[in-house]
Amino acid sequence: QLQLQESGPGLVKPSETLSLTCTVSGGSISSSSYYWGWIRQPPGKGLEWIGSIYYSGSTYYNPSLKSRVTISVDTSKNQFSLKLSSVTAADTAVYYCARLDSTTLDAFDIWGQGTMVTVSS
Amino acid sequence: SYELTQPPSVSVSPGQTARITCSGDALPKQYAYWYQQKPGQAPVLVIYKDSERPSGIPERFSGSSSGTTVTLTISGVQAEDEADYYCQSADSSGTYRDVVFGGGTKLTVL
């Protein structure tokens, strides 16, 4: 059964770069049927899509975050990663990675458990 | 930027029917998806492509679409259905680009 696991620092200083990795287990990140995405949720607030990536490296970003976001994929490690630069307290959130089934469901069907990232000095 | 609008809260008694709406200008052209999120847990997909139910989701969950509004209906609501519900769609062709989430609706089972 496919699983996703986020990893990375839980505390990031303001103005620095937030870096997270999502490890995919139980399946291949290189499948042509899926995209891979990052979604975040500030405490007590709703979900916000950050961006998505295909195994080939094609990326799609939320326009409101595009200038600060980089999503990359490492097929050899079955991982994809998120970098968010120049962070502020507003970037404090639970960060989820998720699989987007682009064939049948056309939706985020498998999610990681999420990782809390706090931006504070 | 494109927005999806949901009511902040809906309350219903056990056994009754809950209806949660989501409005957006692109919904006549784009599919909508619904996620259930319980406290401290990751979201779970409950409806895809407006009205399709993923494997394992109870039949009491259904979805419909009419014009610029989509609706998640939970028939015979149970206490375990108390959660936040989010609609999701896209601003252009392809769900993998321009993904948008609604603000979420808290379903309270009285």
Side-chain angles (χ1 to χ4, degrees):
Chain A
Q1 182 176 353
L2 189 118
Q3 293 185 320
L4 286 73
Q5 179 67 57
E6 305 89 351
S7 60
L11 181 64
V12 182
K13 289 183 169 56
S15 80
E16 295 189 344
T17 296
L18 178 160
S19 296
L20 295 174
T21 296
C22 181
T23 300
V24 179
S25 59
S28 174
I29 201 171
S30 299
S31 170
S32 60
S33 299
Y34 307 113
Y35 287 74
W36 308 90
W38 288 98
I39 299 102
R40 70 179 183 179
Q41 185 172 36
K45 296 188 178 182
L47 301 170
E48 179 180 35
W49 173 70
I50 300 171
S52 299
I53 191 166
Y54 195 53
Y55 77 94
S56 63
S58 297
T59 51
Y60 308 88
Y61 297 137
N62 185 325
S64 69
L65 298 170
K66 187 174 183 177
S67 64
R68 299 193 292 130
V69 172
T70 301
I71 297 176
S72 59
V73 64
D74 187 336
T75 55
S76 67
K77 295 182 178 179
N78 231 29
Q79 296 176 333
F80 61 107
S81 299
L82 167 69
K83 291 188 184 299
L84 181 65
S85 64
S86 305
V87 297
T88 69
D91 295 310
T92 294
V94 175
Y95 285 75
Y96 295 100
C97 60
R99 183 182 82 170
L100 193 154
D101 179 337
S102 62
T103 54
T104 304
L105 302 179
D106 205 26
F108 293 106
D109 64 334
I110 299 177
W111 296 62
Q113 65 183 24
T115 187
M116 180 68 200
V117 178
T118 301
V119 178
S120 175
S121 56
Chain B
S1 60
Y2 181 49
E3 292 185 354
L4 296 173
T5 302
Q6 299 180 234
S9 63
V10 168
S11 299
V12 65
S13 299
Q16 293 190 329
T17 297
R19 294 180 179 85
I20 300 172
T21 59
C22 172
S23 300
D25 290 341
L27 288 177
K29 303 184 294 290
Q30 296 292 340
Y31 283 123
Y33 309 83
W34 290 95
Y35 300 86
Q36 175 194 68
Q37 187 182 34
K38 296 182 179 180
Q41 297 182 19
V44 173
L45 179 69
V46 294
I47 293 290
Y48 67 98
K49 292 183 178 179
D50 289 347
S51 59
E52 300 296 320
R53 197 172 49 250
S55 173
I57 299 301
E59 291 184 6
R60 63 180 183 273
F61 288 88
S62 64
S64 61
S65 176
S66 179
T68 59
T69 300
V70 294
T71 302
L72 173 68
T73 300
I74 309 173
S75 304
V77 167
Q78 301 181 6
E80 67 195 50
D81 299 330
E82 185 164 286
D84 293 326
Y85 291 86
Y86 294 90
C87 63
Q88 179 243 304
S89 188
D91 194 12
S92 60
S93 60
T95 307
Y96 48 87
R97 60 182 73 174
D98 297 332
V99 173
V100 179
F101 286 96
T105 298
K106 181 175 181 57
L107 176 65
T108 300
V109 181
L110 301 171

Coordinates of all heavy atoms in Angstrom, one line a residue, chain B residues 33-75:
Chain B
Y33 N -14.2 18.4 -6.1 CA -13.8 17.3 -5.3 C -14.1 17.7 -3.8 O -14.0 18.8 -3.5 CB -12.3 17.0 -5.5 CG -12.0 16.8 -7.0 CD1 -11.8 18.0 -7.7 CD2 -12.0 15.6 -7.6 CE1 -11.5 17.8 -9.1 CE2 -11.7 15.5 -8.9 CZ -11.5 16.6 -9.7 OH -11.3 16.5 -11.0
W34 N -14.4 16.7 -3.0 CA -14.7 16.9 -1.6 C -13.8 16.1 -0.7 O -13.6 14.9 -1.0 CB -16.1 16.6 -1.3 CG -17.1 17.5 -1.9 CD1 -17.8 17.4 -3.1 CD2 -17.6 18.8 -1.3 NE1 -18.6 18.5 -3.3 CE2 -18.5 19.3 -2.2 CE3 -17.3 19.5 -0.2 CZ2 -19.2 20.5 -2.0 CZ3 -17.9 20.7 0.1 CH2 -18.9 21.2 -0.8
Y35 N -13.3 16.8 0.3 CA -12.4 16.1 1.3 C -13.0 16.3 2.7 O -13.5 17.3 3.0 CB -11.0 16.7 1.3 CG -10.3 16.6 -0.1 CD1 -10.5 17.5 -1.0 CD2 -9.5 15.5 -0.3 CE1 -9.9 17.4 -2.3 CE2 -8.8 15.4 -1.6 CZ -9.1 16.3 -2.5 OH -8.4 16.2 -3.8
Q36 N -12.9 15.2 3.5 CA -13.3 15.2 4.9 C -12.0 15.3 5.7 O -11.1 14.5 5.5 CB -14.1 14.0 5.2 CG -14.4 13.8 6.7 CD -14.9 12.4 7.0 OE1 -14.1 11.5 7.0 NE2 -16.2 12.3 7.4
Q37 N -12.0 16.2 6.7 CA -10.8 16.2 7.6 C -11.3 16.3 9.1 O -12.0 17.2 9.5 CB -9.9 17.5 7.3 CG -8.6 17.5 8.1 CD -7.8 18.7 7.9 OE1 -8.3 19.8 7.6 NE2 -6.5 18.5 7.9
K38 N -10.8 15.3 9.8 CA -11.1 15.2 11.2 C -9.9 15.8 12.0 O -8.8 15.8 11.4 CB -11.4 13.8 11.6 CG -12.7 13.2 11.0 CD -13.0 11.8 11.4 CE -14.3 11.4 10.8 NZ -14.7 10.0 11.2
P39 N -10.1 16.3 13.2 CA -9.1 17.0 14.0 C -7.8 16.1 14.1 O -7.8 14.9 14.4 CB -9.7 17.2 15.3 CG -11.2 17.3 15.1 CD -11.4 16.3 13.9
G40 N -6.7 16.8 13.7 CA -5.4 16.1 13.8 C -5.1 15.1 12.8 O -4.1 14.4 12.9
Q41 N -6.0 15.0 11.8 CA -5.8 14.0 10.7 C -5.6 14.7 9.3 O -6.0 15.8 9.1 CB -6.9 13.0 10.7 CG -7.1 12.2 11.9 CD -8.2 11.2 11.8 OE1 -8.7 10.9 10.7 NE2 -8.7 10.7 13.0
A42 N -5.0 14.0 8.4 CA -5.0 14.4 7.0 C -6.3 14.3 6.4 O -7.2 13.5 6.8 CB -4.0 13.6 6.3
P43 N -6.6 15.2 5.4 CA -7.8 15.1 4.6 C -8.0 13.7 4.0 O -7.0 13.1 3.6 CB -7.7 16.2 3.6 CG -6.7 17.2 4.2 CD -5.8 16.3 4.9
V44 N -9.3 13.4 3.8 CA -9.6 12.1 3.1 C -10.6 12.5 1.9 O -11.6 13.2 2.2 CB -10.3 11.1 4.0 CG1 -10.8 9.9 3.3 CG2 -9.3 10.7 5.1
L45 N -10.3 12.0 0.7 CA -11.2 12.2 -0.4 C -12.5 11.5 -0.2 O -12.5 10.2 0.0 CB -10.5 11.8 -1.7 CG -11.3 11.9 -3.0 CD1 -11.4 13.4 -3.4 CD2 -10.5 11.2 -4.1
V46 N -13.6 12.2 -0.3 CA -14.9 11.5 -0.2 C -15.8 11.5 -1.5 O -16.7 10.7 -1.7 CB -15.8 12.0 1.0 CG1 -15.1 11.7 2.3 CG2 -16.0 13.5 0.9
I47 N -15.5 12.5 -2.3 CA -16.2 12.6 -3.6 C -15.2 13.2 -4.6 O -14.5 14.1 -4.4 CB -17.4 13.6 -3.5 CG1 -18.5 13.0 -2.6 CG2 -18.0 13.9 -4.9 CD1 -19.2 11.8 -3.2
Y48 N -15.2 12.6 -5.8 CA -14.4 13.1 -6.9 C -15.3 13.3 -8.2 O -16.3 12.7 -8.3 CB -13.2 12.2 -7.2 CG -13.5 10.8 -7.8 CD1 -13.4 10.6 -9.1 CD2 -13.9 9.8 -6.9 CE1 -13.7 9.3 -9.6 CE2 -14.2 8.5 -7.4 CZ -14.1 8.3 -8.8 OH -14.4 7.0 -9.3
K49 N -14.8 14.2 -9.1 CA -15.5 14.5 -10.3 C -17.0 14.7 -10.0 O -17.9 14.1 -10.6 CB -15.3 13.3 -11.3 CG -13.9 13.3 -11.8 CD -13.7 12.2 -12.9 CE -12.3 12.1 -13.4 NZ -12.1 11.1 -14.4
D50 N -17.2 15.6 -9.1 CA -18.6 16.1 -8.8 C -19.4 15.1 -8.0 O -20.0 15.5 -7.0 CB -19.4 16.5 -10.0 CG -18.9 17.8 -10.7 OD1 -18.1 18.5 -10.1 OD2 -19.3 18.0 -11.8
S51 N -19.5 13.9 -8.4 CA -20.5 13.0 -7.8 C -20.0 11.5 -7.7 O -20.8 10.7 -7.3 CB -21.7 13.0 -8.7 OG -21.4 12.6 -10.0
E52 N -18.8 11.3 -8.0 CA -18.3 9.9 -7.8 C -17.7 9.6 -6.4 O -17.1 10.5 -5.8 CB -17.2 9.6 -8.9 CG -17.6 9.8 -10.3 CD -18.7 8.8 -10.7 OE1 -18.6 7.6 -10.3 OE2 -19.7 9.2 -11.4
R53 N -17.9 8.4 -6.0 CA -17.5 8.1 -4.6 C -16.3 7.1 -4.7 O -16.5 6.0 -5.3 CB -18.7 7.5 -3.9 CG -18.6 7.4 -2.4 CD -19.9 7.0 -1.7 NE -20.4 5.8 -2.3 CZ -21.5 5.8 -3.0 NH1 -22.2 6.9 -3.3 NH2 -21.9 4.6 -3.6
P54 N -15.2 7.4 -4.0 CA -14.1 6.5 -4.0 C -14.4 5.2 -3.3 O -15.3 5.2 -2.5 CB -13.0 7.3 -3.3 CG -13.4 8.7 -3.3 CD -14.9 8.7 -3.3
S55 N -13.7 4.2 -3.6 CA -13.8 2.9 -2.9 C -13.6 3.1 -1.4 O -12.7 3.8 -0.9 CB -12.8 1.9 -3.4 OG -12.8 0.8 -2.7
G56 N -14.6 2.5 -0.6 CA -14.4 2.6 0.8 C -15.2 3.7 1.5 O -15.3 3.8 2.7
I57 N -15.7 4.6 0.7 CA -16.5 5.8 1.2 C -18.0 5.3 1.3 O -18.5 4.8 0.3 CB -16.4 7.0 0.4 CG1 -14.9 7.5 0.3 CG2 -17.3 8.1 0.9 CD1 -14.3 7.8 1.6
P58 N -18.6 5.5 2.5 CA -20.0 5.1 2.6 C -21.0 5.7 1.6 O -20.8 6.8 1.2 CB -20.3 5.5 4.1 CG -19.0 5.6 4.8 CD -18.1 6.1 3.7
E59 N -22.0 4.9 1.3 CA -23.0 5.4 0.3 C -23.7 6.6 0.7 O -24.3 7.3 -0.1 CB -24.0 4.2 0.0 CG -23.4 3.1 -0.7 CD -24.4 2.0 -1.1 OE1 -25.6 2.3 -0.9 OE2 -24.0 1.0 -1.6
R60 N -23.7 6.9 2.0 CA -24.5 8.1 2.5 C -23.8 9.4 2.0 O -24.5 10.5 2.1 CB -24.6 8.1 4.0 CG -23.3 8.2 4.8 CD -23.6 8.2 6.3 NE -22.4 8.4 7.1 CZ -21.7 7.3 7.5 NH1 -22.0 6.1 7.1 NH2 -20.6 7.5 8.2
F61 N -22.6 9.3 1.5 CA -22.0 10.5 0.9 C -22.3 10.6 -0.6 O -22.0 9.6 -1.3 CB -20.4 10.5 1.1 CG -20.0 10.7 2.6 CD1 -19.9 9.6 3.4 CD2 -19.7 11.9 3.0 CE1 -19.6 9.8 4.8 CE2 -19.3 12.1 4.3 CZ -19.2 11.1 5.2
S62 N -22.8 11.7 -1.0 CA -23.0 11.9 -2.4 C -22.7 13.3 -2.8 O -22.7 14.2 -2.0 CB -24.5 11.5 -2.8 OG -25.4 12.4 -2.1
G63 N -22.5 13.5 -4.1 CA -22.3 14.9 -4.6 C -23.1 15.2 -5.8 O -23.5 14.3 -6.6
S64 N -23.3 16.5 -6.0 CA -24.1 16.9 -7.2 C -23.6 18.3 -7.6 O -22.9 19.0 -6.9 CB -25.6 17.0 -6.9 OG -25.8 17.9 -5.8
S65 N -24.0 18.6 -8.8 CA -23.5 19.9 -9.4 C -24.7 20.6 -10.2 O -25.4 19.9 -10.9 CB -22.4 19.7 -10.4 OG -22.0 20.9 -11.0
S66 N -24.8 21.9 -10.0 CA -25.8 22.7 -10.7 C -25.2 24.1 -10.9 O -25.1 24.9 -10.0 CB -27.1 22.7 -9.9 OG -28.1 23.5 -10.6
G67 N -24.9 24.4 -12.2 CA -24.4 25.7 -12.5 C -23.1 26.0 -11.8 O -22.1 25.2 -11.8
T68 N -23.0 27.1 -11.0 CA -21.8 27.5 -10.3 C -21.8 27.0 -8.9 O -20.9 27.4 -8.1 CB -21.7 29.0 -10.3 OG1 -22.9 29.5 -9.7 CG2 -21.6 29.6 -11.7
T69 N -22.6 26.0 -8.6 CA -22.7 25.5 -7.2 C -22.6 23.9 -7.2 O -23.3 23.3 -8.0 CB -23.9 25.9 -6.5 OG1 -23.9 27.3 -6.4 CG2 -23.9 25.3 -5.1
V70 N -21.7 23.4 -6.4 CA -21.7 22.0 -6.2 C -22.1 21.7 -4.7 O -21.9 22.6 -3.9 CB -20.3 21.4 -6.5 CG1 -20.0 21.5 -7.9 CG2 -19.3 22.0 -5.6
T71 N -22.7 20.5 -4.5 CA -23.2 20.2 -3.2 C -22.8 18.8 -2.7 O -22.9 17.9 -3.5 CB -24.7 20.3 -3.2 OG1 -25.2 21.6 -3.6 CG2 -25.3 20.0 -1.8
L72 N -22.3 18.8 -1.5 CA -22.0 17.5 -0.8 C -23.2 17.2 0.1 O -23.5 18.0 0.9 CB -20.7 17.6 0.0 CG -20.4 16.4 0.9 CD1 -20.0 15.2 0.0 CD2 -19.2 16.7 1.8
T73 N -23.7 16.0 -0.1 CA -24.9 15.6 0.7 C -24.5 14.4 1.5 O -24.0 13.4 1.0 CB -26.1 15.3 -0.2 OG1 -26.5 16.5 -1.0 CG2 -27.3 14.9 0.6
I74 N -24.8 14.5 2.8 CA -24.6 13.3 3.7 C -25.9 12.9 4.2 O -26.5 13.7 5.0 CB -23.6 13.7 4.8 CG1 -22.3 14.3 4.3 CG2 -23.2 12.4 5.6 CD1 -21.4 14.9 5.3
S75 N -26.4 11.8 3.8 CA -27.7 11.3 4.2 C -27.6 10.4 5.4 O -26.7 9.6 5.5 CB -28.4 10.5 3.1 OG -28.4 11.2 1.9

